[in-house]
């Protein structure tokens, strides 16, 4: 059924418009799925949208996702365009396309936020923080992206961004509370193919996996990363704010690592990996950094494609001949995919912690607050002074 998740959201809005309780089991949904998000989504029923609008809304959602991705990333070479296609057309992300999942809406809103944060005008950058808070209201995990406030040009701008985001969340709280309670009661726990999250590996290995293990592992990785890369992202107090591609890399890493650490979900959360690409297409500040970027690129593609390709091979070649062999290959593929995911999370956590430490030092370290006289490039994107890692001028917008 195309756009199955979008269908469920419209069913929740329709039930609410009819006076029913969308936070309980929904008789209008084929699987009786309750609404587990903010009440903002229920506005679809108030404005007259129903399940009959699923197809055209799903196509519009996909078109906006594609436009937002291309407008923000803007590949410069054929090789970059092909790499981007390989990410967007991967089986993992096509799952989000097939289901019309509302993660795509969050992706579109956050693309708008990152676009605003590129601008030289402070008002646009403040709007970017408001967009981030709006995305967090739509789906709670998006709050991890609020760390983009560390890219502020001054301490005053940082606190304005945090205050604006907090105000949005405060105003939205009456609509957030019922969804949070419902999410606690009906928390999904996917297993097997396309499962994403720290517990998935332990489940695949038939081990008990308290979420505290994942949190402890994440904290250890972050501590190691912040120490071992303290020179790579080092920013003296009062220095220039980060480049656009570093900011977008941070936002993607924060969301991916955050979703992974929160528990089990689905691999289409990797839609945010699109923002990693501009940074992954550059060279690092050192041979070791360049090697990590290349390794991240390869692990990312392998993770996004492995399970989908394995499923095709099993169903067309192995399964018709031997069900037992198909089960063995499936189990091996799932474990391998989860190990690749853990490696990717370790690499992203390393960069994420180091970036946060360096920007915090730049913004709040001893010395004057940062100040940048920015000029505008085409499309009003902010140009910042190139760093030694800007080996590719085409990426330095």
């Amino acid at each position: 059924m195309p756009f199955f998740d979008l269908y469920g959201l419209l069913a929740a809005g329709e039930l609410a418009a009819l006076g029913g309780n969308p936070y309980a089991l929904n008789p209008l949904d084929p699987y009786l799925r309750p609404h587990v998000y903010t009440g903002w989504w229920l506005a679809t029923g108030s404005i007259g949208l129903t399940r009959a609008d699923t197809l055209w809304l799903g196509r519009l959602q996909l078109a906006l996702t594609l436009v937002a991705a291309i407008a923000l990333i803007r590949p410069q070479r054929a090789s970059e365009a092909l790499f981007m296609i390989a990410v967007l057309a991967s089986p993992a992300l096509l799952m989000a396309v097939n289901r019309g999942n509302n993660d795509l809406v969050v992706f579109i809103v956050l693309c708008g936020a990152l676009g605003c944060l590129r601008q030289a005008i402070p008002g646009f950058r403040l709007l970017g923080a408001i967009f981030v808070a709006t995305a967090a209201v739509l789906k709670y995990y998006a709050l991890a992206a609020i760390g983009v406030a560390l890219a502020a040009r001054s301490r005053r701008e940082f606190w304005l961004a945090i205050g604006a985001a907090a105000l949005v969340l405060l105003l939205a709280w009456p609509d957030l509370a019922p969804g949070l309670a419902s999410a606690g009661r009906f928390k999904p726990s996917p297993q097997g193919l396309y499962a994403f999250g720290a517990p998935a590996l332990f489940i695949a290995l038939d081990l008990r996996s308290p979420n505290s293990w994942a949190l402890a592992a994440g904290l250890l990785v972050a501590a190691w990363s912040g120490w071992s890369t303290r020179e790579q992202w080092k920013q003296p107090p009062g220095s220039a704010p980060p480049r656009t591609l570093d900011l977008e890399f941070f936002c993607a890493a924060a969301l991916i690592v955050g979703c992974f650490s929160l528990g089990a979900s689905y691999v289409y959360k990797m839609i945010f990996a699109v923002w990693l690409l501009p940074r992954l297409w550059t060279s690092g500040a050192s041979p070791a950094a360049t090697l990590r970027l290349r390794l991240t690129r390869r692990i990312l593609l392998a993770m996004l494609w492995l399970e989908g390709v394995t499923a095709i091979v099993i169903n067309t070649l192995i399964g018709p001949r031997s069900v037992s062999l198909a089960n063995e290959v499936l189990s091996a593929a799932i474990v391998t995919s989860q190990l690749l995911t853990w490696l990717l999370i370790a690499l992203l956590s390393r960069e994420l912690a180091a970036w946060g430490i360096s920007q915090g030092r730049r913004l709040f370290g001893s010395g004057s607050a940062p100040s940048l006289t920015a000029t505008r490039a085409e499309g009003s994107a902010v140009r910042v002074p190139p760093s030694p890692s800007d080996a590719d001028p085409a990426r330095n917008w």
Side-chain angles (χ1 to χ4, degrees):
M1 180 178 180
F3 311 131
F4 189 56
D5 288 345
L6 176 59
Y7 184 94
L9 282 172
L10 292 173
E14 194 173 348
L15 182 64
L18 293 172
N21 179 15
Y23 299 102
L25 299 181
N26 187 347
L28 301 183
D29 183 80
Y31 285 96
L32 305 179
R33 290 174 295 178
H35 187 65
V36 294
Y37 309 112
T38 174
W40 286 14
W41 294 102
L42 303 178
T44 56
S46 302
I47 62 177
L49 294 174
T50 68
R51 291 164 291 167
D53 297 297
T54 299
L55 281 179
W56 74 264
L57 276 175
R59 290 165 181 158
L60 176 62
Q61 182 186 54
L62 296 185
L64 291 175
T65 300
L66 189 59
V67 168
I70 294 174
L72 194 70
I73 304 305
R74 289 183 285 178
Q76 303 288 324
R77 302 181 180 86
S79 60
E80 294 175 358
L82 288 174
F83 193 96
M84 186 174 179
I85 290 171
V87 170
L88 289 173
S90 64
L93 298 193
L94 287 182
M95 185 183 184
V97 171
N98 175 260
R99 295 177 62 144
N101 189 265
N102 52 2
D103 283 338
L104 299 181
V105 177
V106 174
F107 176 81
I108 294 166
V109 173
L110 289 177
C111 278
L114 291 170
C116 288
L117 291 168
R118 289 180 173 182
Q119 310 306 310
I121 302 173
F124 277 105
R125 296 198 296 274
L126 181 62
L127 183 61
I130 293 173
F131 278 160
V132 170
T134 300
V137 174
L138 294 176
K139 293 201 81 169
Y140 319 118
Y141 66 79
L143 188 60
I146 197 59
V148 297
L150 286 172
R153 267 60 175 174
S154 65
R155 295 171 192 168
R156 179 177 178 272
E157 183 178 308
F158 171 84
W159 289 117
L160 280 174
I162 294 296
L167 180 61
V168 171
L169 295 173
L170 182 63
L171 293 175
W173 179 252
D175 290 311
L176 274 170
L180 286 168
S182 179
R185 293 194 304 271
F186 301 103
K187 186 177 181 180
S189 183
Q191 300 179 22
L193 282 175
Y194 299 118
F196 179 79
L201 176 63
F202 300 100
I203 293 172
L205 295 173
D206 291 327
L207 299 172
R208 293 188 177 274
S209 55
N211 284 341
S212 57
W213 291 12
L215 180 60
L219 291 174
L220 288 173
V221 168
W224 161 75
S225 68
W227 173 257
S228 63
T229 60
R230 62 192 184 281
E231 295 298 326
Q232 178 187 348
W233 294 81
K234 190 172 182 180
Q235 292 274 4
S239 60
R243 300 168 301 163
T244 295
L245 68 166
D246 291 334
L247 173 61
E248 291 163 1
F249 187 98
F250 164 81
C251 189
L255 289 170
I256 293 170
V257 173
C259 291
F260 179 84
S261 303
L262 284 173
S265 58
Y266 291 97
V267 76
Y268 51 66
K269 288 287 191 294
M270 292 298 296
I271 182 65
F272 305 110
V274 173
W275 301 331
L276 299 174
L277 302 187
R279 173 71 178 160
L280 294 181
W281 291 332
T282 65
S283 299
S286 66
T290 299
L291 180 61
R292 283 195 297 271
L293 291 174
R294 290 176 180 172
L295 182 61
T296 303
R297 284 200 303 265
R298 292 168 183 171
I299 291 176
L300 175 63
L301 278 185
M303 174 202 166
L304 293 178
W305 279 89
L306 176 62
E307 289 178 298
V309 171
T310 302
I312 294 172
V313 171
I314 287 174
N315 285 313
T316 59
L317 299 177
I318 303 176
R321 292 170 175 80
S322 172
V323 174
S324 61
L325 178 59
N327 285 329
E328 291 176 6
V329 172
L330 176 62
S331 298
I334 290 173
V335 170
T336 302
S337 177
Q338 296 304 326
L339 290 173
L340 288 172
T341 303
W342 276 83
L343 286 173
L344 180 66
I345 294 300
L347 288 166
L348 294 182
S349 298
R350 188 178 203 273
E351 306 297 331
L352 179 64
W355 189 91
I357 291 170
S358 67
Q359 296 308 315
R361 183 174 184 271
R362 173 187 66 84
L363 204 58
F364 297 104
S366 59
S368 59
S371 175
L372 177 68
T373 302
T375 58
R376 298 187 198 178
E378 182 179 356
S380 298
V382 175
R383 288 188 183 273
V384 299
S387 73
S389 62
D390 281 327
D392 182 2
R395 292 261 62 83
N396 197 18
W397 298 320

